[in-house]
Amino acid sequence: MTPLATAVSGPRARLFACFLRLGTQQAGPLRLHTGASLAAKNHYEVLVLGGGSGGITMAARMKRRVGAENVAVVEPSERHFYQPIWTLVGAGAKQLSSSGRPTASVIPSGVEWIKARVIELNPDKNCIHTDNGKEISYKYLIIALGIQLDYEKIKGLPEGFEHPKIGSNYSVKTVEKTWKALQDFKEGNAIFTFPNTPVKCAGAPQKIMYLSEAYFRKTGKRSKANIIFNTSLGAIFGVKKYAAALQEIIQERDLTVNYKQNLIEVRADRQEAVFENLDKPGETQVISYEMLHVTPPMSPPDVLKTSPVADAAGWVDVDKETLQHKKYPNVFGIGDCTNLPTSKTAAAVAAQSGILDRTISLVMKNQTPTKKYDGYTSCPLVTGYNRVILAEFDYNAQPLETFPFDQSKERLSMYLMKADLMPFLYWNMMLRGYWGGPAILRKLFHLGMS
């Protein structure tokens, strides 16, 4: 499938994109990791569970703390993906191939890659067990296992994805099906869902709605499309400033938003979606669709749910300011698998990584952690093929903006940042342990304005 030509144009935009591509070429990919798992030891000073955003970033930082030979990453997957770009892949604005690289290429050079799956954590004995029968012990443990997609909790899925007209930007297996469903749309209901669970990137379920609406306008199909966003939540967004801006867009573009509606079944052979009214349990509604985008229910990884490191809900139980485990002082958590009361995004992981790096360095010196995580996270709300509202906020759902202008306004510059600058920062700085979020930029901007 040929991706949709982005609406971004003009010499400045093209120059900006070319600059970023050139920068990527000059920086090059991360050095290929050549260490074989055959040489794996059974003890490491720092053991990292998970080779996603948080795991790779912290492995790079810990390499500088204790030396590469004393760090290992446990990760079974052969490929590492920059998942935030899948919103644009599902809308035809980016190629799926641009989002992934071999895991071997992002493991920090010299750090051991243990190509296995964690099946048990035993923090009382400072060890873990893997699915290939290994027991690995550690002095310090960093848990970065991400979040689990539970498509099977919706009746009719995942087998429903074998049918046309249905996709999901949350999986590498189904994101291109979203773009296919968008292209094949003729007339009828285009439905977008938000589940009754925590999710990663809580803005993504509605981003694809805005992009789809823009695509329908561009292709002359808008008058034939009834666009519906059925969300389990009671508001369009958790931060009032950005929610107000989104409500204006929803009204201007004639989008239908139904709150407290949870997708419980997909009848893909009949192109029907079944929703439960959360305000009236047991009451359901069946809606036919011409296009359906599913955001799956999500949960902590199964290995964590029954682990001693988990809270009652199954998330890694960490101090929200230091990211140190509340019970085990040599255990730490980062990212989506934790119970940190903030949105689960790559931007949050970036901010957390700098705090956690400092926390661990002080714990290693038997000192009390001092640097505190304020809950910073970011959600670039893509509202079209050349516009983004950049939502940035803290634990208290208060705006914590980087730039010296109103970020609740749709802007081309923020789209370019989302589409081109952030992937560049991710591959070339964050995964190398050099990007801890925009806090420094924010300080510089505000100092300059004072």
Side-chain angles (χ1 to χ4, degrees), residues 71-316:
V71 181
V73 176
V74 183
E75 170 57 52
S77 303
E78 291 281 356
R79 288 190 69 76
H80 178 105
F81 291 98
Y82 177 62
Q83 296 180 30
I85 209 68
W86 286 352
T87 289
L88 299 180
V89 173
K94 290 285 184 179
Q95 293 275 17
L96 179 60
S97 58
S98 72
S99 70
R101 293 183 183 179
T103 299
S105 72
V106 298
I107 300 284
S109 178
V111 167
E112 191 61 52
W113 175 20
I114 302 172
K115 198 184 303 182
R117 188 178 303 277
V118 182
I119 60 171
E120 183 184 357
L121 286 75
N122 191 338
D124 293 301
K125 294 185 177 180
N126 295 320
C127 68
I128 62 107
H129 292 86
T130 62
D131 60 356
N132 58 2
K134 300 284 186 180
E135 178 180 291
I136 306 167
S137 60
Y138 56 82
K139 186 173 182 181
Y140 303 100
L141 181 70
I142 299 174
I143 305 173
L145 289 171
I147 197 169
Q148 181 171 287
L149 306 181
D150 296 325
Y151 285 103
E152 70 281 357
K153 290 184 178 178
I154 299 172
K155 187 178 179 181
L157 296 183
E159 61 272 18
F161 287 113
E162 296 173 7
H163 293 261
K165 311 290 188 180
I166 175 175
S168 176
N169 289 352
Y170 276 88
S171 169
V172 66
K173 298 177 181 178
T174 57
V175 61
E176 289 180 307
K177 288 189 96 288
T178 303
W179 174 225
K180 183 68 165 59
L182 192 53
Q183 289 177 298
D184 291 346
F185 185 93
K186 294 180 175 60
E187 61 178 322
N189 293 328
I191 305 175
F192 305 85
T193 73
F194 191 112
N196 190 28
T197 67
V199 300
K200 56 181 171 182
C201 193
Q206 60 181 295
K207 295 177 194 178
I208 186 60
M209 171 180 65
Y210 302 125
L211 284 163
S212 297
E213 193 275 340
Y215 178 79
F216 294 149
R217 275 190 281 117
K218 186 178 181 68
T219 55
K221 299 176 181 179
R222 181 63 184 94
S223 62
K224 299 178 181 180
N226 181 32
I227 300 174
I228 303 169
F229 184 57
N230 273 11
T231 173
S232 65
L233 302 178
I236 194 66
F237 200 74
V239 181
K240 290 182 179 180
K241 176 177 182 177
Y242 307 118
L246 293 171
Q247 286 289 2
E248 288 185 15
I249 291 172
I250 288 166
Q251 290 182 339
E252 289 171 0
R253 301 181 191 175
D254 192 25
L255 309 176
T256 299
V257 179
N258 299 314
Y259 298 104
K260 297 293 186 175
Q261 297 293 314
N262 185 42
L263 179 67
I264 59 172
E265 182 181 357
V266 174
R267 301 166 184 168
D269 56 335
R270 287 182 273 175
Q271 291 178 214
E272 293 178 346
V274 183
F275 295 88
E276 180 180 20
N277 184 342
L278 295 178
D279 285 334
K280 297 178 181 178
E283 180 180 293
T284 61
Q285 180 184 21
V286 180
I287 308 176
S288 62
Y289 63 82
E290 170 70 1
M291 173 187 176
L292 175 65
H293 178 268
V294 177
T295 301
M298 302 181 203
S299 66
D302 287 339
V303 69
L304 292 178
K305 290 174 183 174
T306 56
S307 166
V309 302
D311 65 8
W315 307 100
V316 181

Side-chain angles (χ1 to χ4, degrees), residues 12-71:
R12 282 184 295 178
R14 289 194 294 271
L15 181 62
F16 181 81
C18 289
F19 168 76
L20 289 173
R21 284 195 291 271
L22 179 61
T24 305
Q25 292 167 0
Q26 290 175 332
L30 298 181
R31 284 179 292 167
L32 183 66
H33 172 78
T34 56
S37 57
L38 294 175
K41 302 182 293 186
N42 60 10
H43 177 83
Y44 294 89
E45 186 165 355
V46 179
L47 185 63
V48 180
L49 305 184
S53 303
I56 298 300
T57 299
M58 290 312 301
R61 288 176 176 271
M62 291 300 100
K63 171 184 173 178
R64 294 198 290 272
R65 292 284 179 196
V66 300
E69 69 280 5
N70 297 311
V71 181

